[in-house]
Amino acid sequence: MSENKKFTKEELEEINALRNANAQKISEFGQVELEILLTNQQIVALEKTKGKLQNDYVELQNKERELVQKLNKKYGAGTVDINSGEFIPAK
C-alpha cells in the first residue's frame, strides 16, 4: 500500500483557486439564467399590454368611423375646422 503524500502549499492554493473560480462561474451562470427568466416574464407582460393597446386602437378607429358616418349623415360630406368648430361643406 502506498503512503499518503501531502500537496505543497502552492499546489493547494492552485487547487483552491480553481475550485473558487469554478464556483464563481456556476454562480454567474445562475445569475444569467435568472436574468433570462425575468426578461422573459417582462416580455410576456409587454406582449399582453401590446395586445390590449392594439385592441384599444382598433376600438378607437371604429368609434372614429362611426362618428364620421354620423356627422356625414347629419351635415353631408365636408371637413371640420377643429379650432373654430365650423363644418366646411365639400364643393
Side-chain angles (χ1 to χ4, degrees), residues 24-69:
Q24 178 65 31
K25 290 302 164 200
I26 290 170
S27 176
E28 289 173 6
F29 277 124
Q31 286 295 323
V32 168
E33 285 297 323
L34 182 58
E35 288 296 324
I36 289 170
L37 173 68
L38 294 174
T39 300
N40 285 334
Q41 288 174 342
Q42 288 177 326
I43 289 170
V44 168
L46 288 170
E47 288 292 337
K48 187 184 277 187
T49 300
K50 176 184 168 185
K52 183 186 179 320
L53 290 171
Q54 286 173 333
N55 290 337
D56 291 350
Y57 183 71
V58 168
E59 187 177 316
L60 285 172
Q61 287 178 317
N62 290 334
K63 286 181 180 181
E64 180 181 25
R65 196 171 9 265
E66 290 171 8
L67 179 60
V68 167
Q69 288 173 353

Side-chain angles (χ1 to χ4, degrees), residues 65-88:
R65 196 171 9 265
E66 290 171 8
L67 179 60
V68 167
Q69 288 173 353
K70 178 181 164 184
L71 293 175
N72 278 344
K73 189 174 185 179
K74 183 174 182 178
Y75 297 102
T79 59
V80 176
D81 183 338
I82 296 295
N83 293 326
S84 68
E86 289 183 287
F87 172 75
I88 304 162

